[in-house]
Amino acid sequence: MIEAVRLRKHYGRTKAVDDLSFTVRPGRVTGFLGPNGAGKSTTMRMILGLDTPTGGDVKIDGKHYTEFKEPLRKVGALLDAKWVHPNRSARAHLKWLAVSNKIPASRVAEVLEIVGLSEVAHKNAGGFSLGMSQRLGIAGALLGDPEVLLFDEPVNGLDPEGIVWIRQFMHRLAGEGRTVFVSSHLLSEMAQTAQDLIVIGKGQLISQTTTEQFISDATKDHVRVRSPHAVKLREILAADATITEDAVDGALVVHGIPAEQIGEIAAEHQIVLHELSPQRGSLEEAFMQLTKESVEYHAH
Amino acid sequence: MTLLAVERIKLFSTRSPYWCSALALVLGVGLTAIIAASTDDGQLSIGVTQFGSSQLALSVVLVMAALAVTTEYRFSTIRATFLAVPNRTSALVAKTVVVAFIAGVLGEIIAFGSWGVAKLLSPASDLAINTGGEWRHVAGIGLLYGIGAVLAIAVGILVRQTAGAVAILLVWNMLLEGLIGIIPKVGTKIQAWLPFQNANNFLALPAGSDPGEGMAAGIDFKLSQWGSLAYFAGIAVALLVVALIVAKRRDA
Ligand SMILES: Nc1ncnc2c1ncn2[C@@H]1O[C@H](COP(=O)(O)OP(=O)(O)O)[C@@H](O)[C@H]1O
Ligand SMILES: [Mg+2]
């Protein structure tokens, strides 16, 4: 279990993480979702004792990461697949990690087998593709057979097969009762991977729920309405609905009143409609909407 | 012991320490060989055999030691290290011990290698190591390298970038300390308290006993020769302590 309490990290004037509290439970894959620059990586570095929080606290099973004597046996992490010396072989990389935490040398061959890198274990990591580097990073995380696993954007730059492989892998780890905490800036990805979601924007918590709950909240039905008398219609509907405007074509987006009823209301007031279409909200749209105020910058 | 093993594996699983060691060996022993070959047989003295090892090769060893830590920062393996060993001080001290030990052994190899080459190329010269001063002059090279490595690692931890750390070490060792001697009146007085000048003073052969000895000339050292070594070591350790405190406080 990972517990963050009022965690803060400021870099000069940038509030990378701002009063963030959350809990990550064992036995489940917990997604850490937020747009680029939301503070996910910073939070993970603080969990692992690499960065010191400006304020607040984060503990793993009641202890700071730095308090574990052989931390790799408790927590496995893949923050960046490139944290490997390019002129060191994959096997040598895992070997020094194993020795440092008194993990038996036989485990190196085991994890290489698990991630499918046995064949290239003698090769220098600098020549690895991104996918292979990610696998090596995962091998490193698994080395100590840890109860808690952290992955920062593990599917970035992977091909579809690699993505499916990692996803199934994380489910298996959680199925074995481990705590799996995985970050991503893509809701569609998280929707397929995570059972729980911690959503952040601009360093602040937006929501912590199950993925199912989050999606059903985020994708509530709405109705698109276009009308030459949009202003008048909006005034009438506003009493019973939440109304926004489509940024592209200016259509009204009505939440809370079904399409049939909107049609009847319009007829009653003799308002001409050019479009009346019930919509099922898309996940990404909802996510964008939710984090819009907190988007640091948009990925292109 | 575990951490020493870790650092040993890390160091020897990349190529740069091998290259640096080979380069130091070639430069140190090579220079002696050139000097010996161009000096009339019988004219060589012990003081001349360590020109290469105490100057040129020392610089290479400083670079090797600095690289041992700056490459960790460059490739962020320092983060992997701190994840595996959250006690940063232990991890960095272990690295320092391993690198300093290797530098020391390398120093002895280069020093006695140089001496051996001189003896081979100039068999008529009196190169017998008899006095304590002569032993110190040759065998002391290893101590010098070991302490130099500690200092270089400290600089590496503080600066974190290879180019910066190497520039600082080379300019300091090869240029700055020598140039300070040019300052009228106070120059040589300051030099008496500079670390690498004291390192040279430690090596120096007793005046008059060896006309070939030209190192550390004109400086009135206030410390005994072993005192100079202790002073050099003290500065290296003090710098390392500062570096360790900084590394502990700073975000990895
Ligand atoms: N070492 C640092 N120094 C200064 N600013 C940083 C540093 N690390 C992250 N930031 C800033 O903190 C914010 C959060 O970054 P990050 O945690 O990397 O977000 P995410 O992983 O969610 O994309 C960004 O604005 C980023 O520019
Ligand atoms: Mg990130």
Side-chain angles (χ1 to χ4, degrees):
Chain A
M1 182 153 93
I2 304 169
E3 237 180 329
V5 182
R6 310 207 61 175
L7 200 56
R8 283 188 300 127
K9 181 68 184 181
H10 299 179
Y11 295 109
R13 302 179 71 190
T14 311
K15 293 182 176 179
V17 174
D18 193 13
D19 205 13
L20 185 61
S21 303
F22 60 81
T23 308
V24 183
R25 289 185 293 155
R28 301 174 70 82
V29 176
T30 303
F32 193 26
L33 183 63
N36 283 324
K40 303 181 295 294
S41 300
T42 303
T43 303
M44 289 206 166
R45 286 198 304 273
M46 287 193 285
I47 295 173
L48 296 167
L50 291 176
D51 283 16
T52 312
T54 307
D57 208 4
V58 59
K59 289 182 174 175
I60 299 161
D61 285 350
K63 274 188 178 179
H64 292 123
Y65 182 86
T66 52
E67 291 175 70
F68 291 103
K69 261 202 103 143
E70 282 152 9
L72 301 186
R73 290 166 174 274
K74 179 74 183 181
V75 184
L78 167 58
L79 291 203
D80 190 325
K82 290 284 160 213
W83 291 358
V84 179
H85 195 298
N87 291 332
R88 192 175 280 138
S89 73
R91 185 179 289 121
H93 171 72
L94 294 173
K95 182 164 176 224
W96 78 255
L97 282 175
V99 170
S100 71
N101 277 240
K102 299 198 174 69
I103 295 161
S106 58
R107 181 70 182 156
V108 170
E110 255 172 64
V111 292
L112 281 167
E113 190 65 43
I114 293 173
V115 301
L117 286 180
S118 303
E119 305 285 292
V120 292
H122 62 284
K123 291 198 177 155
N124 286 349
F128 283 11
S129 69
L130 186 54
M132 288 159 83
S133 297
Q134 296 278 37
R135 282 168 187 261
L136 179 57
I138 290 171
L142 294 175
L143 203 56
D145 196 18
E147 290 159 49
V148 180
L149 287 132
L150 271 69
F151 300 103
D152 193 10
E153 310 250 8
V155 303
N156 260 12
L158 287 195
D159 52 19
E161 280 155 71
I163 293 176
V164 171
W165 179 79
I166 286 199
R167 197 180 286 154
Q168 288 172 345
F169 197 72
M170 287 189 291
H171 282 151
R172 207 171 80 213
L173 291 169
E176 292 165 0
R178 302 175 209 258
T179 306
V180 181
F181 192 37
V182 53
S183 80
S184 173
H185 63 281
L186 298 172
L187 178 55
S188 53
E189 170 54 36
M190 282 293 94
Q192 296 178 70
T193 308
Q195 287 140 340
D196 289 338
L197 277 184
I198 293 164
V199 186
I200 65 167
K202 260 194 180 170
Q204 293 177 321
L205 187 70
I206 292 176
S207 90
Q208 166 156 28
T209 67
T210 63
T211 307
E212 210 176 327
Q213 183 68 43
F214 182 81
I215 289 172
S216 89
D217 287 353
T219 57
K220 283 235 172 66
D221 293 348
H222 62 264
V223 184
R224 267 176 57 90
V225 188
R226 279 191 303 121
S227 160
H229 311 117
V231 179
K232 188 175 171 200
L233 181 63
R234 186 171 183 160
E235 269 167 25
I236 298 163
L237 295 176
D240 305 305
T242 323
I243 301 166
T244 55
E245 232 170 73
D246 189 316
V248 180
D249 62 1
L252 299 179
V253 179
V254 184
H255 293 264
I257 307 178
E260 298 81 0
Q261 211 178 322
I262 294 172
E264 282 160 21
I265 293 170
E268 210 174 287
H269 291 85
Q270 300 198 326
I271 290 173
V272 175
L273 295 183
H274 290 167
E275 179 185 346
L276 180 65
S277 50
Q279 307 273 321
R280 174 108 188 125
S282 99
L283 213 48
E284 290 302 334
E285 234 170 68
F287 175 52
M288 294 291 283
Q289 194 73 26
L290 197 60
T291 53
K292 197 162 68 185
E293 282 104 64
S294 42
V295 170
E296 186 84 333
Y297 50 84
H298 287 280
H300 294 285
Chain B
M1 282 325 274
T2 307
L3 294 183
L4 295 181
V6 169
E7 292 302 328
R8 182 177 46 81
I9 296 170
K10 270 160 60 177
L11 200 65
F12 288 120
S13 56
T14 62
R15 281 193 300 261
S16 79
Y18 295 103
W19 282 111
C20 287
S21 301
L23 185 63
L25 197 70
V26 168
L27 287 178
V29 179
L31 192 64
T32 309
I34 291 170
I35 293 172
S38 56
T39 308
D40 290 339
D41 195 4
Q43 299 300 306
L44 220 54
S45 65
I46 288 192
V48 175
T49 64
Q50 302 304 319
F51 270 164
S53 66
S54 64
Q55 308 295 322
L56 221 49
L58 171 65
S59 298
V60 177
V61 170
L62 294 178
V63 170
M64 174 182 80
L67 276 176
V69 18
T70 54
T71 47
E72 285 235 34
Y73 279 101
R74 158 121 196 260
F75 299 119
S76 289
T77 50
I78 194 73
R79 295 197 174 120
T81 300
F82 290 161
L83 284 184
V85 186
N87 186 335
R88 298 180 186 184
T89 305
S90 310
L92 292 171
V93 166
K95 181 186 286 298
T96 309
V97 169
V98 169
V99 175
F101 178 77
I102 290 165
V105 171
L106 187 62
E108 297 306 333
I109 294 173
I110 294 175
F112 284 96
S114 300
W115 176 78
V117 159
K119 218 167 158 45
L120 212 66
L121 295 177
S122 188
S125 299
D126 171 24
L127 293 172
I129 305 174
N130 304 314
T131 65
E134 286 167 347
W135 274 108
R136 192 184 55 234
H137 188 71
V138 179
I141 294 287
L143 288 173
L144 207 69
Y145 283 16
I147 296 167
V150 174
L151 190 131
I153 285 184
V155 171
I157 294 172
L158 288 169
V159 179
R160 287 188 276 187
Q161 278 138 8
T162 302
V166 167
I168 288 172
L169 287 165
L170 293 188
V171 169
W172 177 4
N173 169 36
M174 299 176 93
L175 216 61
L176 195 64
E177 291 205 0
L179 284 180
I180 284 177
I182 296 170
I183 304 173
K185 290 195 183 118
V186 291
T188 51
K189 285 189 181 134
I190 298 172
Q191 275 183 320
W193 296 103
L194 295 178
F196 286 103
Q197 299 301 322
N198 275 280
N200 282 339
N201 183 43
F202 164 69
L203 289 183
L205 288 162
S209 79
D210 193 335
E213 172 55 39
M215 287 183 284
I219 305 170
D220 181 18
F221 288 100
K222 300 284 182 265
L223 299 166
S224 70
Q225 293 192 275
W226 283 100
S228 275
L229 183 77
Y231 179 75
F232 182 46
I235 287 189
V237 170
L239 207 58
L240 182 67
V241 169
V242 172
L244 293 175
I245 292 170
V246 169
K248 195 179 158 95
R249 293 214 178 144
R250 154 175 92 185
D251 287 337

